[in-house]
Amino acid sequence: AVVSTQSTGVTQRQISFGEGGNEETISHPPSTAEFLDYIQRHSKEKAILFAIYQEVLLYLCEIIQKNPAKETSGDADSFDQMCMLRPIEFYQFISKLLSGGITTSEDEELTWETIRYIDGSLNRLPKNFHHSLYSLLNLTSGIDINGNVIHSFPLTNEMTAGEPQFAISISNWLDKLPNPQLRQLYVEVIMILGSLQKMIKRFPELIELHTVLYQAHDLFVQECVVDPTDHLCGISREFYLTPPTGQYGTLSYLTQAIANLYC
């Protein structure tokens, strides 16, 4: 069986093929022939990969049609184990993955770095995230993450915050970040900026999210003991491990950084 165009187009979601940094995103409903071409190119002539891609797509469509609110992306680390699953077990595996049900053992508590990794890998976003970002874009000419800029025009002129195409544009922008944990930290920056926008006297022409994040990290380093050799993209491992809320949470340091920069 092959996934049909109708099945994949029902929720206007994106599908990514590939692995190991060699991914290709489908942002429009392709024909059956195009789907076969995607699968053949990324299965690298391996019959097991060809079969698994077809199974994943079929089950994704079925699961999404039953529950459109579920996330539609994920990363399965244990490929060999996945290949050994029976069809019903494979279906259950994908369903659990999309609902965030695949974690470590029950006795092992997830760290906040792991939670951020999982949420970033699954493209999870907080409620009202797109509306917060949309309102920020309306106040500036664009938002920058280390040279990766999303411009207000023509985005906000052509789309509303609730449109699927706006969500796809934002997802493509965030997907350029080098790792899922960092992605989620920037999601936190956007959310706290959105919640504080009424307190900010004047936004700059271009909001530099990296300036906010790295200043917050500097404040964190001044108060906490960190290992200078253990970092990811210039952010200490301890910061990734810190929960968002609380007196010493990441949101507290982000709020201080925003106050220093804009208030």
Side-chain angles (χ1 to χ4, degrees):
V2 178
V3 181
S4 68
T5 301
Q6 182 180 4
S7 295
T8 57
V10 289
T11 57
Q12 302 183 44
R13 302 293 186 93
Q14 290 188 113
I15 295 174
S16 294
F17 282 92
E19 56 182 328
N22 186 29
E23 293 187 2
E24 184 174 1
T25 300
I26 303 173
S27 56
H28 67 281
S31 65
T32 299
E34 287 175 317
F35 255 132
L36 280 173
D37 181 58
Y38 283 124
I39 294 173
Q40 286 172 342
R41 279 190 281 115
H42 287 280
S43 60
K44 303 172 184 177
E45 300 182 354
K46 295 179 181 178
I48 184 67
L49 269 178
F50 189 94
I52 284 178
Y53 275 132
Q54 287 195 87
E55 291 286 297
V56 169
L57 286 168
L58 283 169
Y59 293 148
L60 273 176
C61 293
E62 184 175 345
I63 292 167
I64 293 169
Q65 284 177 336
K66 290 179 180 177
N67 187 353
K70 284 192 176 183
E71 297 291 343
T72 60
S73 63
D75 180 20
D77 292 327
S78 184
F79 179 77
D80 292 337
Q81 183 181 4
M82 190 168 60
C83 293
M84 301 296 293
L85 298 176
R86 294 177 297 162
I88 184 62
E89 293 172 330
F90 195 54
Y91 178 91
Q92 292 169 346
F93 173 84
I94 294 172
S95 183
K96 279 187 177 182
L97 178 64
L98 298 183
S99 61
I102 294 181
T103 62
T104 55
S105 65
E106 294 180 2
D107 297 328
E108 184 179 351
E109 184 178 353
L110 293 177
T111 67
W112 271 100
E113 182 180 16
T114 302
I115 292 171
R116 288 185 172 106
Y117 176 82
I118 293 172
D119 288 347
S121 298
L122 295 176
N123 297 333
R124 288 178 180 160
L125 297 170
K127 186 178 180 180
N128 296 325
F129 173 81
H130 291 110
H131 287 83
S132 293
L133 182 54
Y134 192 89
S135 64
L136 290 173
L137 285 170
N138 276 323
L139 295 171
T140 66
S141 64
I143 300 177
D144 178 23
I145 301 178
N146 283 323
N148 176 22
V149 181
I150 185 163
H151 296 282
S152 301
F153 182 82
L155 203 62
T156 55
N157 292 62
E158 297 176 351
M159 306 173 196
T160 64
E163 284 188 45
Q165 195 57 43
F166 179 74
I168 289 173
S169 298
I170 299 308
S171 180
N172 290 338
W173 174 58
L174 291 174
D175 284 345
K176 294 176 183 177
L177 291 167
N179 64 71
Q181 303 98 303
L182 187 64
R183 172 195 171 104
Q184 288 310 106
L185 285 180
Y186 278 116
V187 167
E188 292 175 27
V189 175
I190 291 167
M191 290 302 294
I192 197 68
L193 269 172
S195 67
L196 296 175
Q197 62 178 279
K198 291 182 180 179
M199 299 171 57
I200 296 173
K201 298 176 182 178
R202 184 178 180 182
F203 278 103
E205 186 70 14
L206 188 69
I207 299 177
E208 295 182 343
L209 296 186
H210 51 281
T211 301
V212 176
L213 178 58
Y214 284 103
Q215 184 164 135
H217 179 255
D218 288 343
L219 293 170
F220 173 82
V221 170
Q222 291 171 20
E223 295 185 358
C224 305
V225 178
V226 302
D227 181 354
T229 65
D230 190 10
H231 58 83
L232 189 63
C233 298
I235 301 293
S236 65
R237 189 74 64 181
E238 287 82 1
F239 196 74
Y240 288 107
L241 289 166
T242 301
T245 58
Q247 183 179 356
Y248 299 103
T250 55
L251 295 182
S252 176
Y253 292 104
L254 289 171
T255 301
Q256 292 178 57
I258 291 168
N260 293 342
L261 288 166
Y262 303 133
C263 296

